[in-house]
Amino acid sequence: SFENVCRKLYQTDVKAMSETLELMDTDSTAKAVDLLSGARRVFCFGQGGSNVMAMEAWARFSTASSQFLHIEDSHMQAMAASMMDENDAEVLISYSGATKDTIHVAKTARQAGAKIICISRFVKSPLTAFSDYTLLCGANEGPLQGGSTSAEISQLFLIDVLYSEYYRRYFDTCSVNN
């Protein structure tokens, strides 16, 4: 029934957030916030549905600080990554951690000296090999569920955690900017 579908989706989404919380390493997450606050520029990147999440991260953080940037096009992301240095950071979002364009952007940024925060489902993926801090989202997707809402909810939860801690630490500055 429709009611059963609603309940099942609700349970799936709640489970994704619970799993994300269980997977969270609060020390690494706190260090990721340190990285964000210490960077000259923070680029939020992803591809496909993960790019929508990257745009959401940028939109949240841009209300608190002008250091956060977003570029939608993968080629322009790679160009920006090549011009980064040790004062810059990236927040890369990829559920699989295996998206070719995102891996290329990570590799390019790493070679340029930038620091990388990765939001992904899998701790051991091609993308996380370039990450300074990997934040794991807890939703399981089947092969036909690419971009599932539960995966997005778990990624949004991590973005919200990063933003809330950033805002809490720098309340005076953020509240003026917001």
Side-chain angles (χ1 to χ4, degrees):
S1 71
F2 178 62
E3 184 178 340
N4 286 341
V5 169
C6 293
R7 290 187 184 287
K8 188 170 185 172
L9 288 172
Y10 172 79
Q11 290 168 348
T12 300
D13 293 345
V14 169
K15 182 179 177 191
M17 287 185 54
S18 295
E19 288 177 12
T20 302
L21 184 60
E22 290 302 315
L23 290 168
M24 187 180 298
D25 177 343
T26 54
D27 290 337
S28 288
T29 306
K31 289 176 183 174
V33 174
D34 292 339
L35 179 60
L36 295 175
S37 63
R40 173 185 58 184
R41 298 178 299 177
V42 179
F43 291 89
C44 302
F45 293 152
Q47 303 302 319
S50 293
N51 192 37
V52 174
M53 294 296 99
M55 188 181 297
E56 178 65 27
W58 162 75
R60 289 294 309 268
F61 279 98
S62 69
T63 66
S65 172
S66 63
Q67 78 198 74
F68 291 85
L69 305 160
H70 176 263
I71 299 172
E72 193 164 334
D73 181 79
S74 63
H75 296 96
M76 298 303 287
Q77 289 177 8
M79 289 176 62
S82 72
M83 292 185 269
M84 291 179 185
D85 62 30
E86 64 278 352
N87 298 308
D88 297 319
E90 282 183 335
V91 175
L92 295 173
I93 302 175
S94 173
Y95 176 85
S96 69
T99 307
K100 186 180 104 177
D101 288 341
T102 305
I103 295 165
H104 175 69
V105 167
K107 182 177 182 181
T108 303
R110 172 63 71 217
Q111 289 170 341
K115 302 293 186 217
I116 298 170
I117 298 167
C118 175
I119 295 177
S120 182
R121 175 64 176 120
F122 304 101
V123 70
K124 293 184 180 181
S125 71
L127 181 60
T128 59
F130 297 101
S131 179
D132 293 285
Y133 300 104
T134 299
L135 309 180
L136 298 175
C137 59
N140 286 321
E141 284 186 351
L144 302 177
Q145 289 181 298
S148 72
T149 302
S150 60
E152 291 172 348
I153 287 171
S154 65
Q155 292 167 347
L156 284 171
F157 176 63
L158 289 170
I159 291 165
D160 200 26
V161 166
L162 290 171
Y163 175 79
S164 296
E165 179 59 11
Y166 183 92
Y167 199 97
R168 186 187 70 79
R169 288 186 191 183
Y170 306 102
F171 177 80
D172 291 340
T173 304
C174 293
S175 61
V176 169
N177 294 340
N178 201 339

